[in-house]
Amino acid sequence: MKLAYWMYAGPAHIGTLRVASSFKNVHAIMHAPLGDDYFNVMRSMLERERDFTPVTASVVDRNVLARGSQEKVVDNITRKDKEETPDLIVLTPTCTSSILQEDLQNFVERAQLEAKGDVMLADVNHYRVNELQAADRTLHQIVQFYIEKARKKGELPEGKTAKPSVNIIGISTLGFHNQHDCTELKRLMADLGIEVNAAIPEGASVHELKNLPRAWFNLCPYRELGLMAARYLEAEFGMPYVNITPMGVVETARCVRKIQQIVNAQGADVDYEDFINEQTLYVSQAAWFSRSIDCQNLTGKKAVVFGDNTHAAAMTKILAREMGIHVVWAGTYCKYDADWFREQVSEYCDEVIITDDHGQIGDAIARVEPSAIFGTQMERHVGKRLNIPCGVIAAPIHIQNFPIGYKPFMGYEGTNQIADLVYNSFTLGMEDHLLEIFGGHDTKEVITKGISAESDLNWTKDGLAELNKIPGFVRGKVKRNTEKFARERGIKDITVEVLYAAKEAVGA
Amino acid sequence: MTAAQPEALNFECETGNYHTFCPISCVAWLYQKIEDSFFLVIGTKTCGYFLQNAMGVMIFAEPRYAMAELEEGDISAQLNDYEELKRLCLQIKRDRNPSVIVWIGTCTTEIIKMDLEGLAPKLEGEIGIPIVVARANGLDYAFTQGEDTVLAAMAARCPDKASVVEAEKNERNAIQKLLNFGKKKEEVAEEESEYVNHPPLVLFGSLPDPVVTQLTLELKKQGIKVSGWLPAKRFTELPVIEEGYYVAGVNPFLSRTATTLMRRRKCKLIGAPFPIGPDGTRAWIEKICSVFGITPQGLEEREAQIWEGLEEYVKLIRGKSVFFMGDNLLEVSLARFLVRCGMTVHEIGIPYMDKRYQAAELALLEKTCKDMGVPIPKIVEKPDNYNQVQRIYELKSDLVITGMAHANPLEARGINTKWSVEFTFAQIHGFTNARDILELVTRPLRRNNSLKDLGWDKLVKEEAKV
């Protein structure tokens, strides 16, 4: 048992649901107790999704506990097959169903006899993998399922596309700025003269999956999601893949050079050096920013970085290599992939921290007192408590991290966004210190009393006590409205009854 | 709509495929209500993830709750439950020193049959902190029923008079005297005599402190003294409950607590409609008065006065229709209030319907529908959200009260929605807060009134498949 109230990566089924509901016309059925369909709330709220989240639960209740699910799961699958005619239904186990140890595979096989669409069981162990690992595995599983299905039917297309082309693998729902990254990557590919053969899973149809081998190569922008599928495609079809995250000026160039090498090896003749040069010097503002006086002022400032592997590693390199900022420590919560992280960042920071314990991260922040933090929402709150500004760079995230405006982290526009994020975090902190040194914008003593401060009315002890229970940010308004109410009625003493009478009368 | 003849209440039961919060969410409001408590949820990452996301910013405020996250070793009994829980509870005692630790049992502890009720008294003796066990799991309960399981367990911990030492009572009186210091003697005496002589009354249900004050004052106006609340602000202040005391519920989801108070503590339950909306509040007070043989004073005027103040909101919803998808058990009371406001209710979805505990509320709903001349809605227990959405399309309800999973998709299809969970966290009880209920109910209508000329009410490209 472990005492905890915050976790960085969610439970396994969340990963499976993220992948399943990213595809078009794929439905997930969770084998779960009432209340475990919280994923739908998150997707509907955070992504502001207009459509119903294609996830339902086959509810595990007392009866299931006593007698097993019996026909329930099969019925739920075939019912959903009729109602929504999805291409694929993914039966998703949860922590509860893991310990019930029902033969879910058997339910899937029985349901498949009746269902028109395909049915599959997500192969994830709840107690061994987390959200990210499960998402990676599920995407692999779905890709493999449709490749094998097409092969069996002899529908696998032969050969490659005429022009160089790419599959972008790993864009998913509830991923950090994934939609914007996807747009930016497509734009980058277009600039490079590379066709996008498919982008999966977000927005893709499972019927497109058999065409994946037609691409010249795969691009996996995220370390956490897509690599398993890319490795599978490499093993099956000898498809090369690029897993350099194009985040930051240097890494984007490295990614583009790798792409150049891969397509030239397959017979294309491209040279992207001029493009990289043009973008770096004149299109992206980040290279110029790093030479400007603004960025000079950031030299040697202390920062700490924490997040998932992709974002924390890229951010660490950007801060240290491209902006001259001193990264005291960089950390990741992807413990299962810690070696990769260490290898990526060790030369760019003093210390590497691998943990999924938010308390340890909070202490590490307090210990080094950086000028800015780049982390998740949890680190943002630590920053609030310690009065240190924080730029959010990775999940877990809140609704404000699903911006409507265009805010990619990848590609050349991404470098601009990141420069803004970094600069704004640091200047805010600087302003704060200056204000503190010079005593703030305003002196704290109020010299003239406003209308609300002077009062001819007497608040009784109980009235005052009740008033003090009202949250601070509305208390002033409630006090004014109550006094106005009392004055109009010639009430001299404001008791708790008067307070509530005022609320009833005027909505104070 | 034809002026259909109201019929009797009609109950249905569907498949139970609906969206609601897991009952462990009750820790979110109970740890804030009971200030010296600590809630330990014994479950998996799934439970933790739900709490972390459902509670939003509260999570960052050093909450007095935590997960005892079960690992593979716990599930396969390689680790000893008792030793593990002891280790965590000692850590909690060291860091927070609470007056009570509440263990919330979850689906997982049910399935692996962890004997929390058996372990608790033993561990309690060893570490010297009361441990209350509540099995608030998704196998058995929905959302607000979590509070019910906690309060039912707390009811067993309320002191009876026998255990209250006389000295302590005197001490309390001494404090009372101190508090009254400076007041003239007659004044104190007069304060006592403001109450009618009636048997002790204890109210149950967790409400924000301001609402507790409001309802207590409301009863004081009738000369009724509230001897205590379950729960109180602190665990150490749980009310005395003796055989023969009267108890009344303030929320419709407290049936287990009511049963426990009647069967285990030998209390008499006052079955009344719940004090939600001015009509409900009046009926609640009247019922309590009638049990104590008191003639209520000025209630009719008070209710009328509140309605007068609500008119600006009521005129927005009068004649409109509402559909409750059902997820928090407040549905019947809210529907009854909205019918009184002049709305037609298409359907009352509800997770669980205790017809005995809610009897008076159901009767008032029936009566209200007759009074207002609208058809009596059907009550759908354990609803099926998919079927409900089809019915909503057909009925074209003016307002759907639903969970967040359906709210945005329905809005995108031009259907007004109100997020149901807000009713659980807003202050909705008593005369004073009727305005807040209508503020919530009318918000989507007011918003859409201001947007109505823009012509963007349907924002999905393909209509949903039927």
Side-chain angles (χ1 to χ4, degrees):
Chain A
M1 267 180 224
K2 202 168 78 179
L3 199 62
Y5 66 89
W6 171 266
M7 65 187 79
Y8 286 103
H13 70 268
I14 299 287
T16 296
L17 297 179
R18 272 178 55 188
V19 167
S21 61
S22 290
F23 279 109
K24 247 190 315 209
N25 212 23
V26 170
H27 201 100
I29 294 185
M30 303 168 68
H31 188 235
L34 200 63
D36 272 4
D37 58 350
Y38 191 72
F39 177 80
N40 300 29
V41 176
M42 289 177 60
R43 186 154 182 276
S44 176
M45 280 195 73
L46 299 177
E47 297 260 28
R48 294 182 200 87
E49 205 22 87
R50 300 176 198 214
D51 281 313
F52 291 97
T53 300
V55 174
T56 41
S58 174
V59 177
V60 175
D61 56 14
R62 268 295 146 187
N63 293 328
V64 171
L65 221 53
R67 304 180 297 123
S69 292
Q70 297 187 345
E71 300 305 313
K72 202 169 179 180
V73 177
V74 177
D75 287 349
N76 277 317
I77 295 175
T78 48
R79 175 184 163 188
K80 201 41 77 179
D81 183 65
K82 283 197 196 80
E83 282 170 357
E84 314 246 354
T85 55
D87 297 323
L88 170 68
I89 291 178
V90 180
L91 181 59
T92 309
T94 59
C95 57
T96 309
S97 62
S98 292
I99 27 180
L100 284 177
Q101 299 195 325
E102 286 194 273
D103 189 358
L104 296 181
Q105 185 61 48
N106 175 266
F107 295 153
V108 164
E109 279 155 24
R110 275 167 49 204
Q112 183 66 83
L113 297 175
E114 233 183 283
K116 287 207 183 65
D118 297 310
V119 189
M120 107 179 358
L121 173 66
D123 171 32
V124 291
N125 180 323
H126 229 274
Y127 292 91
R128 306 242 166 111
V129 297
N130 68 19
E131 168 187 351
L132 302 170
Q133 293 163 289
D136 202 16
R137 169 68 187 131
T138 303
L139 182 59
H140 169 214
Q141 209 189 339
I142 294 177
V143 167
Q144 185 174 18
F145 182 89
Y146 280 98
I147 293 283
E148 279 172 10
K149 188 178 171 190
R151 184 177 280 152
K152 219 176 276 170
K153 286 186 166 176
E155 287 175 352
L156 266 189
E158 295 283 326
K160 300 283 174 191
T161 54
K163 281 167 81 186
S165 61
V166 61
N167 300 318
I168 301 175
I169 302 183
I171 308 290
S172 80
T173 186
L174 290 174
F176 182 73
H177 292 243
N178 273 23
Q179 307 284 356
H180 307 301
D181 283 348
C182 186
T183 308
E184 186 63 19
L185 289 176
K186 284 180 176 167
R187 186 176 292 174
L188 180 64
M189 292 305 129
D191 287 348
L192 297 176
I194 293 173
E195 281 172 3
V196 175
N197 183 56
I200 58 167
E202 181 65 34
S205 154
V206 288
H207 300 308
E208 294 170 36
L209 294 175
K210 62 172 183 286
N211 294 325
L212 288 178
R214 283 177 58 77
W216 290 30
F217 69 102
N218 293 316
L219 173 62
C220 297
Y222 304 107
R223 175 74 192 169
E224 293 78 17
L225 176 52
L227 269 183
M228 277 180 89
R231 287 191 185 124
Y232 164 77
L233 291 169
E234 186 188 39
E236 287 291 312
F237 304 100
M239 290 179 79
Y241 63 88
V242 179
N243 63 338
I244 299 166
T245 303
M247 198 186 297
V249 179
V250 179
E251 289 297 292
T252 304
R254 206 158 73 86
C255 178
V256 171
R257 290 196 181 101
K258 178 79 184 174
I259 291 173
Q260 173 180 317
Q261 186 200 330
I262 281 178
V263 294
N264 282 346
Q266 294 178 56
D269 180 24
V270 293
D271 182 358
Y272 294 139
E273 287 305 325
D274 288 345
F275 171 78
I276 294 172
N277 205 39
E278 172 78 11
Q279 290 286 326
T280 305
L281 297 186
Y282 308 113
V283 177
S284 158
Q285 299 293 319
W288 159 236
F289 170 76
S290 61
R291 295 293 298 201
S292 70
I293 315 290
D294 293 334
C295 194
Q296 217 178 73
N297 285 338
L298 301 182
T299 310
K301 285 254 175 299
K302 284 198 289 184
V304 297
V305 181
F306 190 76
D308 59 7
N309 268 355
T310 304
H311 293 89
M315 221 36 218
T316 306
K317 291 180 198 167
I318 293 169
L319 292 172
R321 191 163 59 184
E322 298 178 19
M323 296 181 179
I325 289 161
H326 177 193
V327 181
V328 186
W329 57 257
T332 179
Y333 54 81
C334 299
K335 282 163 78 176
Y336 64 95
D337 196 18
D339 293 342
W340 180 87
F341 185 76
R342 251 191 222 101
E343 182 207 314
Q344 292 289 309
V345 303
S346 9
E347 57 177 305
Y348 300 108
C349 59
D350 305 347
E351 189 191 346
V352 176
I353 300 183
I354 312 284
T355 184
D356 53 7
D357 175 357
H358 67 92
Q360 199 184 327
I361 291 301
D363 292 346
I365 293 172
R367 171 165 55 87
V368 303
E369 291 192 17
S371 312
I373 307 166
F374 297 93
T376 70
Q377 279 293 340
M378 192 59 179
E379 283 67 51
R380 191 173 73 87
H381 282 268
V382 173
K384 258 189 189 168
R385 201 173 296 167
L386 300 174
N387 259 323
I388 303 170
C390 176
V392 174
I393 56 152
I397 38 182
H398 287 170
I399 191 146
Q400 66 263 39
N401 303 113
F402 289 87
I404 299 171
Y406 186 52
K407 289 203 163 54
F409 269 61
M410 291 189 179
Y412 288 105
E413 177 54 27
T415 63
N416 295 338
Q417 297 293 335
I418 292 172
D420 278 343
L421 179 76
V422 172
Y423 187 62
N424 290 342
S425 304
F426 277 106
T427 41
L428 286 178
M430 294 276 285
E431 263 170 42
D432 239 31
H433 285 307
L434 288 174
L435 287 176
E436 214 161 87
I437 292 165
F438 295 110
H441 281 301
D442 237 333
T443 48
K444 278 175 189 157
E445 285 299 312
V446 180
I447 298 161
T448 52
K449 285 186 175 173
I451 31 167
S452 63
E454 196 69 61
S455 173
D456 51 334
L457 295 156
N458 174 39
W459 284 77
T460 64
K461 219 164 66 184
D462 62 338
L464 208 55
E466 201 63 20
L467 181 69
N468 284 330
K469 282 185 202 161
I470 292 162
F473 61 97
V474 287
R475 198 180 298 147
K477 181 181 160 227
V478 172
K479 182 164 184 266
R480 274 195 302 280
N481 284 344
T482 309
E483 288 178 353
K484 185 167 161 239
F485 171 86
R487 217 169 273 128
E488 279 166 4
R489 283 161 183 75
I491 300 168
K492 279 274 170 295
D493 296 320
I494 302 181
T495 59
V496 58
E497 281 97 343
V498 177
L499 177 70
Y500 287 127
K503 184 173 190 246
E504 285 158 20
V506 293
Chain B
M1 181 127 304
T2 52
Q5 278 304 306
E7 293 156 27
L9 282 173
N10 168 13
F11 296 91
E12 280 177 26
C13 187
E14 280 190 303
T15 61
N17 249 319
Y18 64 102
H19 166 76
T20 180
F21 273 18
C22 174
I24 60 172
S25 52
C26 68
V27 307
W29 63 89
L30 287 176
Y31 92 76
Q32 297 193 31
K33 173 70 192 180
I34 308 170
E35 291 171 358
D36 53 352
S37 63
F38 191 98
F39 284 78
L40 184 67
V41 182
I42 304 163
T44 61
K45 253 184 178 331
T46 306
C47 314
Y49 197 67
F50 163 70
L51 282 176
Q52 167 174 331
N53 286 296
M55 291 209 239
V57 287
M58 274 195 270
I59 216 93
F60 300 104
E62 292 270 335
R64 278 174 287 99
Y65 95 84
M67 291 290 309
E69 194 184 309
L70 300 170
E71 290 164 302
E72 204 163 6
D74 297 301
I75 306 298
S76 51
Q78 286 161 359
L79 298 167
N80 180 303
D81 297 339
Y82 183 78
E83 291 304 322
E84 290 294 298
L85 284 168
K86 183 175 157 191
R87 182 170 59 80
L88 300 191
C89 288
L90 282 172
Q91 193 181 334
I92 292 165
K93 183 183 177 181
R94 193 187 63 218
D95 297 346
R96 305 296 183 96
N97 196 28
S99 311
V100 62
I101 297 177
V102 183
W103 286 353
I104 303 287
T106 62
C107 304
T108 312
T109 56
E110 288 297 309
I111 296 170
I112 64 175
K113 299 193 168 47
M114 195 184 278
D115 180 21
L116 297 177
E117 275 96 346
L119 297 173
K122 219 170 122 197
L123 190 57
E124 184 172 315
E126 203 169 337
I127 68 171
I129 295 180
I131 295 174
V132 171
V133 180
R135 302 208 252 168
N137 61 68
L139 294 169
D140 300 311
Y141 305 110
F143 196 13
T144 48
Q145 288 180 290
E147 174 181 322
D148 193 23
T149 62
V150 173
L151 295 190
M154 290 258 175
R157 301 296 182 123
C158 290
D160 46 31
K161 200 166 230 162
S163 68
V164 178
V165 191
E166 206 52 38
E168 199 191 336
K169 289 259 351 171
N170 281 335
E171 199 184 335
R172 274 199 196 159
N173 284 338
I175 292 170
Q176 199 58 46
K177 272 178 204 154
L178 261 182
L179 285 177
N180 289 332
F181 184 75
K183 273 192 187 176
K184 284 178 201 142
K185 262 194 183 148
E186 307 90 80
E187 238 180 275
V188 178
E190 192 190 325
E191 225 169 66
E192 281 301 313
S193 71
E194 282 175 45
Y195 296 109
V196 180
N197 193 19
H198 63 83
L201 171 70
V202 172
L203 302 179
F204 58 95
S206 163
L207 292 177
D209 293 332
V211 183
V212 168
T213 312
Q214 289 157 14
L215 289 181
T216 308
L217 283 172
E218 223 52 82
L219 289 173
K220 187 182 166 190
K221 283 182 190 155
Q222 305 301 335
I224 296 169
K225 185 177 182 177
V226 179
S227 307
W229 279 80
L230 173 67
K233 262 173 93 76
R234 304 176 66 82
F235 180 75
T236 48
E237 291 165 5
L238 279 181
V240 172
I241 295 180
E242 271 185 80
E243 188 170 338
Y245 274 27
Y246 281 81
V247 291
V250 297
N251 266 323
F253 45 76
L254 298 171
S255 35
R256 278 174 69 92
T257 310
T259 312
T260 309
L261 288 169
M262 285 190 293
R263 297 209 182 133
R264 296 283 175 84
R265 308 304 302 251
K266 313 279 182 234
C267 294
K268 292 175 187 150
L269 177 71
I270 303 177
F274 301 99
I276 292 171
D279 49 340
T281 308
R282 178 179 165 194
W284 183 70
I285 297 171
E286 277 177 346
K287 183 65 195 281
I288 295 173
C289 285
S290 81
V291 169
F292 293 145
I294 298 167
T295 314
Q297 303 294 321
L299 266 186
E300 204 178 328
E301 298 78 20
R302 182 138 171 75
E303 192 199 346
Q305 191 192 340
I306 295 290
W307 281 114
E308 212 173 290
L310 297 179
E311 181 53 29
E312 50 168 325
Y313 289 105
V314 172
K315 68 178 181 223
L316 291 170
I317 50 172
R318 195 172 282 136
K320 297 224 157 66
S321 61
V322 58
F323 190 110
F324 286 87
M325 285 185 78
D327 69 348
N328 59 15
L329 285 96
L330 294 171
E331 291 87 2
V332 175
S333 309
L334 288 173
R336 176 260 302 150
F337 169 53
L338 292 181
V339 169
R340 181 58 74 187
C341 289
M343 293 188 91
T344 310
V345 179
H346 282 149
E347 176 168 327
I348 304 176
I350 188 168
Y352 168 73
M353 183 74 238
D354 185 335
K355 288 181 203 163
R356 275 164 62 190
Y357 177 63
Q358 294 223 40
E361 184 63 88
L362 289 169
L364 184 59
L365 171 69
E366 214 174 326
K367 179 177 177 297
T368 305
C369 289
K370 280 185 184 134
D371 289 353
M372 301 301 290
V374 294
I376 293 177
K378 68 174 174 184
I379 295 178
V380 180
E381 232 186 313
K382 299 174 88 177
D384 184 295
N385 279 168
Y386 182 86
N387 296 343
Q388 283 185 315
V389 169
Q390 310 309 315
R391 293 199 288 269
I392 288 168
Y393 290 155
E394 269 166 44
L395 291 163
K396 299 192 170 38
S397 307
D398 293 312
L399 180 69
V400 176
I401 296 181
T402 179
M404 208 54 188
H406 296 102
N408 269 339
L410 287 173
E411 287 283 351
R413 284 158 182 76
I415 295 162
N416 295 321
T417 61
K418 181 74 223 131
W419 187 29
S420 54
V421 173
E422 282 192 75
F423 293 103
T424 327
F425 296 120
Q427 301 186 359
I428 60 169
H429 292 76
F431 287 123
T432 318
N433 297 307
R435 175 187 292 271
D436 295 48
I437 307 177
L438 288 182
E439 176 75 26
L440 288 177
V441 170
T442 58
R443 192 175 297 155
L445 303 170
R446 283 178 288 133
R447 195 267 313 265
N448 293 344
N449 273 346
S450 27
L451 306 184
K452 68 171 183 269
D453 297 329
L454 296 170
W456 322 326
D457 55 340
K458 289 211 174 66
L459 293 156
V460 273
K461 274 189 188 150
E462 329 149 67
E463 260 310 299
K465 274 176 261 172
V466 182

